[in-house]
Amino acid sequence: MTVDGGQAGQRGRLAYIGSFTEAGGPGITVAEADARTGALKLLGSTDALVNPSFLALSPGGDVLYAVSETDEGAVAAFSLADPVRPEPLGEPVPVRGDGPTHLAVTGTHVFTANYGSGSVSALPVRRGGGLGTPAAVLAHRGSGPVADRQKGPHAHAVVPDPSGSMLLAVDLGTDSVWTYALDPVTGLPRPHGETPLRSGTGPRHLAFAPQADRVYVLNELTPTVTVCRWSSADGALEPLGETRVLPPGEGVPTYPSEPVVSADGRFLWVANRGHDSISVLALDAAGDVAGLRHVVGCGGVWPRDLTLHPSGRYLYAANERSGDVTWFAVDPDSGIPAFAGSAAVPAASCVIFG
C-alpha cells in the first residue's frame, strides 16, 4: 500500500473511495475529509482487489467490504484496525454470481447484487469480520422490453430496510424490486415478493426516506424516480408515482446512477451520467416528490455515485470517466449544491464515510 501525507492519527472522519483497477484506478483509496470545507485529502490506496467498485462498512465500522466487479465475481473484507491502511482479511470470496455491482452489510451477512447473473448472494460474516462462502444464492427471473439491456435479470442493488427485517433488491433487467425476509435467527434471506415498476424504466438503486415509509427507486433507462410506499411490518412496496429528474426536452442520453435523501427528508438528490449533473428534487411533508427544483453540473464526467457527508453539509460525486471525486457545499434552505473542490481518483466509482 502506498501512503501520501502520513496517518490520520485517529479514526476521525475518513472517506473510502472505490475505483476500477482495470480502467487505471488505484483500487481502494483512503482520504480525510475536512469538517470545515468538505475538502478531501488523499492519504493512500491499496490495489489488493480487482475492481472494488462498491464499498460498505461493518456496523461497528471496523471492517471494510468491497465487491470485485468482475465476470467471476467476489467480495473481500479488509480490517480497519488501522483505518488509514485497510488490510485484507483473507482471500476474496467468490459470490457464485457474475459481475457483483453492489453490496450491503447486516450483523450476520454481506449481501451482493450480481448484475451479470441476475442474482443475490448472502455470505456469512465470520468472527473477526472475515467472510465465508455463500450460504444462499437467490436467482431472479424475467426480462424487459429494452432489448440490449433487459434480455434477462440484472440485480443492481441490495438495501436492507431500516427495521433490519427485510432486504430489497433492485433489478434493472426485470423492471422490478424483489423483497426478501431476513430470518431473525439465521439472518438468511427468504423470498417474500416482487413489485413490478413501469416497463422499460430499468430500476438501478433506491434510497429510504428518513421516516422509512417511503422508498425512492431511481431508474437508469429513463431519467425518472419512482416513489413507493413501504411497510416493514408486512414487506409491502407500493408504487405511488414517477417523476422526471431532468427538465423535459433534455436531448443528451442520460443514465441516472444514485439517489440520496437529506436527513431531514426535504430533498432528494440524483446523479445523472451522460447529462453529467446533480438534480435537486423537493420532497413534501409526506415524503412524496414535490418536483424538480434545480440541476447543477457534477464537476466531472459520468458521476457513478453520489454520497452525502454525515454532517449533511456536503455532497460527493465519484466521476468515473473524468477520474475524480468532486464535492459540493449544500445550501440548507434550498438544497442546492455549490461546487467546492475536487480530488483526482482515476476511474472513481463510489465514496463512503467511516
Side-chain angles (χ1 to χ4, degrees):
M1 177 171 183
T2 59
V3 175
D4 299 316
Q7 296 188 27
Q10 57 183 357
R11 277 298 292 257
R13 185 62 68 190
L14 295 177
Y16 299 94
I17 304 166
S19 61
F20 288 95
T21 58
E22 292 181 330
I28 299 172
T29 298
V30 185
E32 188 173 15
D34 188 300
R36 296 177 298 104
T37 66
L40 294 180
K41 176 185 178 182
L42 304 183
L43 302 177
S45 61
T46 175
D47 61 359
L49 184 68
V50 177
N51 294 348
S53 65
F54 202 86
L55 313 174
L57 287 167
S58 64
D62 56 346
V63 180
L64 178 70
Y65 297 98
V67 298
S68 178
E69 190 172 334
T70 58
D71 289 343
E72 56 272 18
V75 177
F78 294 82
S79 169
L80 295 180
D82 180 345
V84 179
R85 293 180 169 83
E87 291 293 334
L89 289 170
E91 294 296 317
V93 179
V95 299
R96 288 169 38 204
D98 303 338
T101 57
H102 193 261
L103 79 167
V105 188
T106 64
T108 58
H109 289 81
V110 167
F111 298 94
T112 66
N114 308 317
Y115 181 86
S117 53
S119 59
V120 171
S121 298
L123 290 79
V125 176
R126 293 174 170 170
R127 186 182 300 273
L131 296 171
T133 57
V137 178
L138 302 159
H140 294 175
R141 300 169 305 281
S143 60
V146 182
D148 61 336
R149 297 294 306 277
Q150 296 184 310
K151 292 182 180 178
H154 293 300
H156 211 306
V158 281
V159 183
D161 96 299
S163 75
S165 63
M166 305 292 295
L167 183 77
L168 282 68
V170 187
D171 197 302
L172 184 150
T174 63
D175 286 322
S176 60
V177 178
W178 299 67
T179 53
Y180 297 95
L182 299 178
D183 187 281
V185 177
T186 66
L188 285 171
R190 173 178 52 80
H192 180 77
E194 179 188 5
T195 302
L197 303 182
R198 185 168 65 85
S199 180
T201 54
R204 175 185 173 92
H205 279 198
L206 64 77
F208 280 90
Q211 63 271 31
D213 62 353
R214 293 291 187 273
V215 170
Y216 308 105
V217 182
L218 185 62
N219 302 307
E220 177 174 333
L221 301 184
T222 59
T224 62
V225 62
T226 303
V227 182
C228 301
R229 181 181 291 114
W230 169 250
S231 169
S232 61
D234 54 9
L237 187 69
E238 177 191 358
L240 300 176
E242 190 178 334
T243 301
R244 285 185 58 88
V245 300
L246 290 174
E250 295 290 330
V252 179
T254 299
Y255 308 93
S257 61
E258 187 71 27
V260 175
V261 185
S262 63
D264 60 10
R266 295 171 57 213
F267 304 111
L268 173 68
W269 297 285
V270 170
N272 304 300
R273 295 168 299 170
H275 197 262
D276 294 336
S277 62
I278 300 171
S279 300
V280 185
L281 291 90
L283 302 175
D284 63 19
D288 298 329
V289 172
L292 179 64
R293 172 167 289 183
H294 203 76
V295 180
V296 302
C298 71
V301 179
W302 211 251
R304 187 180 179 90
D305 187 42
L306 190 66
T307 305
L308 185 65
H309 189 275
S311 69
R313 296 172 58 193
Y314 303 102
L315 277 170
Y316 296 79
N319 301 308
E320 181 183 352
R321 295 185 180 176
S322 55
D324 49 39
V325 174
T326 49
W327 55 89
F328 301 77
V330 177
D331 184 283
D333 296 320
S334 68
I336 297 174
F339 179 81
S342 68
V345 182
S349 55
C350 84
V351 181
I352 65 170
F353 284 91

